[in-house]
């Protein structure tokens, strides 16, 4: 099974630019898109099933899971106003497409983010009792200094994207029998999935790793590859891809 995840920072613009064609050529079995920021439901890939979760607020947040297989069950989690979760159940796994809230400048949504993290933790822990899980998407936090470009000298616990309580929440989730696939397979590699649009940060590879595949421990032996598809443009994030033998 090939799973691709991508925060688009707006589906309409990505479709207009044609950048999604590069992902389509990879023939994913499941494509998880975040921050679609649209109420429209275009046919992104022909002959695939499209499962949408729109935010109530116009042009904001939202997710879509696009799959060549018919899910056994679909759930949109606990978040019914910002469209941040889609869980698709297949024969052997759950795939959870997630767009975790950003604490935003001046941390005006920080408390909301922490409450959301707690609900997500409970949601995943309840789900894991049924079958293995692949969680993918934008977690809006880095795990460690290794996940941020080396010359970034302002990293501190109080800075957006590095907040210690948000990192702790991610580590708490991992402690419940889950694995950060990229870091497990690449323990010392610096590779990023997001770059600021300001000051040509992508051109000089001043990025952060914000996008993850997090899987149940018993799936690790079935994983053959995980990649950051940094050559694919069209968003301030790049797609990430997981190869899983089921």
């Amino acid at each position: 099974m090939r799973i691709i995840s991508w925060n688009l920072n707006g589906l309409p613009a990505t479709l207009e630019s044609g950048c999604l064609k590069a992902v389509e050529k990879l023939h994913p079995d499941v494509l998880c898109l975040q921050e679609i920021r649209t109420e429209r439901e275009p046919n992104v890939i022909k002959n695939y099933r499209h499962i949408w979760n729109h935010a109530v607020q116009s042009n904001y947040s939202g997710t879509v899971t696009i799959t060549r297989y018919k899910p056994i069950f679909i759930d949109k989690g606990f978040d019914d106003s910002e469209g941040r979760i889609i869980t698709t159940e297949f024969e052997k796994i759950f795939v959870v497409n997630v767009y975790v809230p950003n604490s935003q400048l001046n941390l005006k949504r920080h408390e909301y983010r922490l409450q959301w993290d707690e609900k997500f933790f409970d949601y995943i822990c309840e789900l894991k009792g049924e079958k293995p899980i692949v969680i993918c998407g934008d977690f809006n936090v880095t795990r460690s200094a290794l996940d941020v470009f080396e010359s970034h000298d302002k990293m501190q616990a109080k800075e957006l994207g590095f907040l210690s309580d948000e990192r702790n929440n991610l580590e708490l989730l991992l402690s419940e029998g889950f694995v950060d696939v990229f870091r497990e397979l690449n323990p010392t590699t610096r590779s990023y999935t997001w770059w600021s649009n300001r000051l040509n940060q992508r051109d000089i590879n001043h990025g952060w790793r914000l996008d993850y595949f997090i899987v149940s421990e018993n799936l690790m032996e079935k994983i053959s590859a995980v990649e950051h598809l940094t050559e694919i443009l069209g968003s301030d994030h790049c797609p990430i891809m997981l190869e899983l033998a089921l």
Side-chain angles (χ1 to χ4, degrees), residues 202-215:
R202 191 162 187 167
D203 292 343
I204 57 177
N205 200 28
H206 280 185
W208 300 358
R209 186 171 73 103
L210 299 178
D211 303 83
Y212 298 80
F213 279 108
I214 292 174
V215 307

Side-chain angles (χ1 to χ4, degrees), residues 16 42 126 141 164 170 172 188 217-218:
E16 185 176 344
E126 183 176 348
V141 72
S164 58
L170 180 52
L172 179 63
T188 61
E217 287 176 337
N218 58 357

Side-chain angles (χ1 to χ4, degrees), residues 17 50 99 124 151 155 157 159 165 169 210 239:
S17 69
H50 292 56
Y99 176 38
I124 294 298
S151 59
M155 190 176 69
E159 189 172 348
D165 46 12
N169 287 342
L210 299 178

Side-chain angles (χ1 to χ4, degrees), residues 7 17 19 21 27 33 39 44 48-49 66 91 93 99 119 137 158 162 168 175 188 193 196 208 226 236 242 245-246:
N7 179 320
S17 69
C19 294
K21 292 179 180 177
H27 305 293
L33 303 177
E39 294 74 51
V44 178
Y48 278 62
R49 299 173 186 273
I66 301 168
E91 181 182 358
I93 61 169
Y99 176 38
K119 292 177 182 178
K158 66 180 182 180
F162 316 117
N168 289 341
S175 74
T188 61
T193 67
S196 172
W208 300 358
V226 63
D236 51 355
L242 184 75
L246 294 178

Side-chain angles (χ1 to χ4, degrees), residues 9-29:
N9 195 17
L11 175 61
T14 312
L15 286 174
E16 185 176 344
S17 69
C19 294
L20 268 165
K21 292 179 180 177
V23 169
E24 185 177 355
K25 288 178 180 178
L26 294 171
H27 305 293
D29 297 297

